[in-house]
Amino acid sequence: MSIFPGKTLKAIAKELNELTQTPPEDIQVIPAEANLAMISAWIRGPDGTPYEGGYFKVTLELGTDYPTTPPKGFFKTKIFHPNVSNSGEICVNTLKKDWKPELGIKDILLTIKCLLIAPNAESALNEDAGKLLLDDYDDYAKRARLYTGIQAQGGKSEYLQLGSKENNTPFISKRKREDEESSSTTTTKPVVTVKKKKALRRL
């Protein structure tokens, strides 16, 4: 049973469809199965940043009162970043005080991508990264690139596969897909017309 009202569920599924069909630059959403409360995506490290060349998996956890309250965001890929804690929790105003119910999954993912371009040292969850960003950017960038090279290489193949035309298909729920597969394998009796019945009697 879904934790969301029908209207919210349809809105989430619709947005996932749109994100799958026309993904934002450097972002690929991982198709959900039955649980729409957990949205995952890959974000490619933007060019010209210490995260360039890396592929970062992020997860959004939607609560029962979404979109009234914002989801929680986490980096599943380890990253050295002022606004990401050692456990992966993301500190970003869009997910907290600046949240508005009309914002959606796309807005959140784009905001997280922007954090990779412009970290905010003033709201640091990783104090070491925040201090280094303020005191010595070159050292901060060097350490961030080191993390990127070690931790953020494994998602490249899945990111590229999700972005291929063959995989750029609309999102459908697991239950709906199972129903469609079941109906497609059901055998039906051939239709015998009146003319065919008369012809068979003459034989």
Side-chain angles (χ1 to χ4, degrees):
M1 183 177 179
S2 171
I3 65 171
F4 302 112
K7 184 178 179 181
T8 302
L9 191 65
K10 289 179 180 178
I12 296 171
K14 180 183 178 182
E15 186 169 13
L16 287 175
N17 269 331
E18 293 171 352
L19 288 171
T20 301
Q21 290 293 296
T22 55
E25 184 178 6
D26 296 329
I27 296 172
Q28 293 292 342
V29 174
I30 300 171
E33 290 294 339
N35 185 11
L36 293 186
M38 190 78 68
I39 307 299
S40 295
W42 288 101
I43 298 179
R44 187 181 76 87
D47 295 339
T49 72
Y51 308 102
E52 180 179 349
Y55 295 83
F56 301 88
K57 188 176 185 180
V58 298
T59 297
L60 304 178
E61 296 182 4
L62 282 58
T64 55
D65 49 358
Y66 174 86
T68 302
T69 59
K72 296 179 180 179
F74 298 90
F75 268 83
K76 308 305 287 186
T77 303
K78 277 198 153 311
I79 185 173
F80 186 72
H81 192 289
N83 307 115
V84 183
S85 72
N86 290 329
S87 64
E89 182 183 359
I90 302 170
C91 178
V92 55
N93 287 337
T94 301
L95 294 175
K96 295 180 180 178
K97 66 178 183 179
D98 293 337
W99 174 255
K100 299 176 182 178
E102 56 266 29
L103 295 174
I105 297 165
K106 179 180 179 180
D107 300 294
I108 300 167
L109 293 174
L110 287 172
T111 300
I112 294 173
K113 176 192 168 182
C114 287
L115 276 182
L116 298 180
I117 300 171
N120 183 2
E122 295 180 358
S123 59
L125 286 179
N126 184 325
E127 293 183 3
D128 290 341
K131 188 174 186 303
L132 203 55
L133 176 62
L134 291 172
D135 296 344
D136 192 332
Y137 179 82
D138 288 341
D139 276 356
Y140 157 76
K142 182 179 179 180
R143 190 165 176 184
R145 279 193 292 267
L146 179 63
Y147 265 70
T148 299
I150 295 173
Q151 303 287 346
Q153 302 300 309
K156 182 176 181 178
S157 59
E158 184 176 347
Y159 174 92
L160 294 175
Q161 183 181 18
L162 288 169
S164 68
K165 291 182 179 180
E166 291 79 5
N167 288 278
N168 198 18
T169 54
F171 163 86
I172 56 173
S173 69
K174 184 177 181 181
R175 174 63 61 83
K176 183 178 179 182
R177 182 166 59 249
E178 288 173 347
D179 290 345
E180 289 177 350
E181 290 174 351
S182 176
S183 62
S184 66
T185 57
T186 303
T187 56
T188 56
K189 294 181 179 180
V191 177
V192 180
T193 64
V194 174
K195 289 184 178 179
K196 285 184 179 179
K197 286 181 179 179
K198 291 180 178 179
L200 288 171
R201 290 196 192 101
R202 290 197 295 269
L203 294 176

